[in-house]
Amino acid sequence: MALMITDECINCDVCEPECPNDAISMGPEIYIIDPNKCTECVGHYDTPQCRQVCPVDCIPLHPDHVETQDQLMSKYYRLTGKQPKVIS
Ligand code: SF4
Ligand code: SF4
């Protein structure tokens, strides 16, 4: 599931540089997350980095972008160009 930023965002700028997928950018009024780029940090970190730093806790899961762990991992591979490890 991608995450989303709600209108409680205070534009503090701290989440944008923490995103390993460059999924966060400034929108018309507040920061926004591109659901095509957000992997919930799967592949990079154990926990969503943006949520870790947000001072007002305004980054919930996006209800319209429900994805399994496998789908998030596939997105990570697509975004990074890395290949899944083959266990022989
Ligand atoms: Fe970026 Fe991770 Fe936040 Fe998604 S959860 S927007 S990938 S920092
Ligand atoms: Fe908005 Fe939270 Fe990001 Fe700050 S950390 S810009 S409040 S979403």
Side-chain angles (χ1 to χ4, degrees):
M1 211 168 326
L3 303 190
M4 61 179 281
I5 294 174
T6 71
D7 60 10
E8 290 167 81
C9 173
I10 56 171
N11 292 335
C12 73
D13 306 328
V14 300
C15 58
E16 184 191 11
E18 299 299 326
C19 180
N21 293 323
D22 288 331
I24 303 174
S25 63
M26 189 64 197
E29 293 178 4
I30 55 171
Y31 276 87
I32 55 174
I33 293 175
D34 181 347
N36 293 313
K37 291 184 174 178
C38 175
T39 64
E40 288 180 44
C41 284
V42 165
H44 294 283
Y45 301 103
D46 290 339
T47 53
Q49 299 299 288
C50 54
R51 284 176 109 164
Q52 298 260 74
V53 297
C54 181
V56 294
D57 197 17
C58 69
I59 315 180
L61 292 168
H62 198 311
D64 296 336
H65 292 280
V66 180
E67 292 157 296
T68 65
Q69 193 78 4
D70 283 351
Q71 287 173 314
L72 291 167
M73 205 65 206
S74 296
K75 199 193 294 188
Y76 163 78
Y77 286 127
R78 177 171 56 76
L79 288 168
T80 61
K82 292 183 179 170
Q83 298 294 322
K85 284 196 186 111
V86 178
I87 299 163
S88 55

